[in-house]
DNA sequence: CTGAAAGCGCTTACAG
DNA sequence: CTGAAAGCGCTTACAG
């Protein structure tokens, strides 16, 4: 668009045009208060006329601040960490920070040192560690870096680390409240393996709401895996033992789809006979268009990435786990 | 780990220890050939002993190369562009480049200028534009930047632009060859809207293989949407008209799952009676573990991101569209 | 092959 | 409030 590219406009050019010294120009443009209003106006005007763009490389070098953040994507191959990672890099971009993203293998015990050196050579402003959910704690890496460290989508073994996490407890609470709010009283829970922290927290939320509503869970919680197959199998058993069940909180959307398929095949009406709620807002993730079938809890994973970045850049003095509030997304599987 | 942080080791320190000048030390460490082997060895040794890490900020400033790439995620909210974007930023990290990632709204006609200015202030090494697939062409932005521009996962209106794209034609070819290779001769095609470039290219690949195998397509191609619902509806019609169909190439995995559900419900054995192939390797994306049901074509989207980065950094002199070879991932829906 | 010197374009004490 | 000057830590012609 611009014709050719002659010498870029420097701060010295601005100073010369404004008739002030280089240092005065610098101060005026960097918002120092110890500048007269008229001088500042003159300098800002000159900068505008010349379309001055400070050379970010020179600024970084002189100030020692790189405007770059290191992002360690620990076990970030999982689909669920993708929104977190993307939420993080987009927020970084929106705040004019570059991301130096390293893949998980850099976090092996023996290779962390290499990442640390690379990042400190870059004079990184901070480090964001992106995990793969709440399944497992990450070893704290905070002490390895000289820059501030924030964790997204994983907890660590150090209770002082600032970690942004989905609120799985509240996910269980919201899902169950939604079903109770529809007037259902005979509610069951089908979910994944008991070993998962996320599973247990969702279940706890479920049981808290039942208790405070004076309801009793229909049958024991059925633990299996995060798959459609498991959902299909579990609903068969559940119906055999408790044909009067009115609603099911499913640990995630895959399980819910497995349940839904079986119910449809057996001619059981959803939500008229049995209402369903899942977790993940999977349809929201994969569908741009189309009608939503499942009611689900959205954990707002990309917002977890975004908030982690904000905390890192704003130097907030929080410590410990921070939970992202989930929300209900209503589909056709829960009725009035 | 390291105790405190005194003054970092500089190149001058290395030069002093090695007993050479600053400029000689610089040349030795930057692989200039006009250096005696013994001097170089001495300098490299000193650098190693001192654990010298060149200050990347100073290097960038002095050389004018930022080691940062601008990434414009154009309409990159779609699930399918996520692997491309993540493939790109991970490759950038692996090659020690930072990514300054801007969200789509920066690409509005009126706002491109702002991104251009921000990126040129950063003395960006190149620009990567990530689109949302092959559905629609992007307006070429190459002329807006002074740095090299590469496009990933989108084509542009300028035939000279270097664009990395999934090979949808070959996806159709591989899928169909796979079915033909299993001995199926009566093969149908259920896919999404005709308006989609991806749909038409997959269909063309399908028909090329049928033709070269001397086969005739079973019924016309059924165009609908990318959803499970459409797959379920289309298979009903197909079976009504052509109960002797032996295999179906589904335009994507969602459609294939819709088809699969109906077949199972009707007691039609898959793959014994009807074999299925989809596209996207969706199960590979969402499952870490578990048995694979669907046979699918993997378009290798994250590799598209990675290759785009390589092309950008290596300054390859390619122009025009570059197609990423897909591959077949076998599941239970196609038998021997 | 090696070194002295200028320079990259800012920021930031420090003096006035 | 304003300015002269040093300095950030490299790279890169240019001389020797």
């Amino acid at each position: 668009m611009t014709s050719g590219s002659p010498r870029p406009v420097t701060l010295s050019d601005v100073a010369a045009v404004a008739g002030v010294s280089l240092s005065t120009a610098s101060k005026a443009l960097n918002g120092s208060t110890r500048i007269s209003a008229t001088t500042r106006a003159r300098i800002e005007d000159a900068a505008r006329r010349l379309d001055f763009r400070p050379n970010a490389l020179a600024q970084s070098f002189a100030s020692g601040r790189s405007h770059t953040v290191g992002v360690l994507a620990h076990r970030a191959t999982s689909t669920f960490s993708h929104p977190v990672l993307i939420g993080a890099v987009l927020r970084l971009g929106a705040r004019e920070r570059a991301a130096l993203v390293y893949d998980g293998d850099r976090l092996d015990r023996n290779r962390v040192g290499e990442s640390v050196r690379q990042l400190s050579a870059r004079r990184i402003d901070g480090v964001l560690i992106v995990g793969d959910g709440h399944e497992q704690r990450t070893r704290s890496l905070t002490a390895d870096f000289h820059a501030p460290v924030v964790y997204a989508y994983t907890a660590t073994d150090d209770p002082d680390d600032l970690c942004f996490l989905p609120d799985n407890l509240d996910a269980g609470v919201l899902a169950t409240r939604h079903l109770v709010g529809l007037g259902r009283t005979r509610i069951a829970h089908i979910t994944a393996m008991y070993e998962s922290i996320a599973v247990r927290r969702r279940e706890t939320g479920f049981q808290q709401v039942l208790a405070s509503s004076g309801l009793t869970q229909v049958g024991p919680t059925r633990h299996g895996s995060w798959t459609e197959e498991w959902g299909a199998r579990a609903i068969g058993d559940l119906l055999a033992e408790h044909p009067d069940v009115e609603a099911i909180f499913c640990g995630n959307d895959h399980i819910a789809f497995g349940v839904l398929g079986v119910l449809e095949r057996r001619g059981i009406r959803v939500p008229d006979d049995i209402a369903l709620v899942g977790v993940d807002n999977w349809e929201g993730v994969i569908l741009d268009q189309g009608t939503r079938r499942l009611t689900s809890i959205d954990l707002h994973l990309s917002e977890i990435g975004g908030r982690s970045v904000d905390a890192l850049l704003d130097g907030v003095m929080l410590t410990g786990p921070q939970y992202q509030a989930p929300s209900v997304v209503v589909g056709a599987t829960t009725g009035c």
Side-chain angles (χ1 to χ4, degrees), chain A:
Chain A
M1 289 324 223
T2 15
S3 61
S5 60
R7 189 175 63 71
V9 176
T10 70
L11 185 56
S12 301
D13 298 328
V14 174
V17 167
V20 297
S21 75
L22 180 62
S23 45
T24 302
S26 173
K27 275 170 228 152
L29 263 28
N30 291 322
S32 163
T33 53
R34 325 200 109 287
I35 280 279
S36 78
T38 66
T39 316
R40 155 165 301 145
R42 196 145 39 89
I43 294 167
E44 286 175 343
D45 191 54
R48 205 173 305 114
R49 284 210 310 279
L50 296 175
D51 190 30
F52 169 65
R53 294 280 153 177
N55 181 331
L57 261 34
Q59 282 183 311
S60 290
F61 175 53
S63 67
R65 308 203 62 244
S66 61
H67 292 272
T68 299
V69 166
V71 177
L72 298 185
H74 195 185
R75 295 190 299 254
T77 46
S78 124
T79 330
F80 292 105
S81 63
H82 285 190
V84 181
L85 185 51
I86 287 179
V89 297
L90 287 176
R91 184 68 56 88
L92 284 168
R95 300 191 59 173
E96 295 301 337
R97 260 67 165 201
L100 189 54
V101 185
Y102 289 144
D103 204 354
D105 60 351
R106 295 265 195 157
L107 290 179
D108 292 358
R109 202 63 189 104
N110 346 356
R111 299 200 56 199
V112 170
E114 182 55 22
S115 303
V116 171
R117 276 189 290 275
Q118 295 285 0
L119 291 176
S120 54
R122 278 262 194 173
R123 302 298 189 268
I124 233 75
D125 294 338
V127 178
L128 178 66
I129 302 199
V130 177
D132 68 343
H134 207 160
E135 300 303 317
Q136 216 177 324
R137 292 179 182 282
T138 306
R139 180 173 65 82
S140 178
L141 293 166
T142 308
D144 291 295
F145 296 96
H146 294 146
V149 178
V150 169
Y151 299 79
Y153 204 39
T154 189
T156 74
D157 52 18
D158 181 342
D160 286 342
D161 283 334
L162 178 54
C163 306
F164 287 86
L165 299 166
D167 193 337
N168 285 305
L169 184 87
D170 204 34
V173 166
L174 287 183
T176 314
R177 259 196 214 140
H178 186 76
L179 293 172
V180 170
L182 296 170
R184 309 294 166 121
T185 55
R186 302 199 43 77
I187 310 177
H189 186 30
I190 300 175
T191 186
M193 51 285 180
Y194 180 77
E195 292 67 34
S196 159
I197 302 178
V199 162
R200 291 204 303 277
R201 287 184 63 92
R202 290 174 194 177
E203 182 178 0
T204 301
F206 167 69
Q207 291 169 340
Q208 283 180 1
V209 172
L210 287 191
S212 69
S213 307
L215 299 175
T216 310
Q217 176 173 353
V218 172
T221 299
R222 287 159 201 275
H223 292 283
S225 68
W226 294 117
T227 62
E228 219 173 304
E229 287 84 346
W230 163 242
R233 187 142 58 86
I235 182 64
D237 297 347
L238 175 63
L239 288 173
E241 297 171 31
H242 303 277
D244 56 349
V245 64
E246 293 173 341
I248 304 168
F249 168 37
C250 301
N252 79 345
D253 289 351
H254 290 305
I255 293 173
F257 278 119
V259 169
L260 182 60
V262 170
L263 294 179
E264 284 177 344
R265 232 161 292 166
R266 299 199 183 179
I268 297 173
R269 293 167 306 167
V270 178
D272 311 73
D273 300 325
I274 297 182
L276 297 181
V277 175
V279 177
D280 282 342
N281 189 15
W282 188 249
E283 286 178 285
V285 172
I286 65 172
L287 296 177
D288 297 326
Q289 82 305 10
T291 51
R292 153 172 300 285
R293 289 195 288 159
L294 202 61
T295 293
S296 187
I297 307 300
D298 192 322
L299 299 173
H300 299 305
L301 297 184
S302 73
E303 185 58 18
I304 288 177
R307 281 182 67 198
S308 306
V309 164
D310 287 338
L312 191 59
L313 298 183
D314 298 337
V316 299
M317 299 281 20
L318 295 169
T319 59
Q322 308 293 322
Y323 294 102
Q324 170 66 44
S327 63
V328 181
V329 185
V330 179
T333 58
T334 55
C336 38

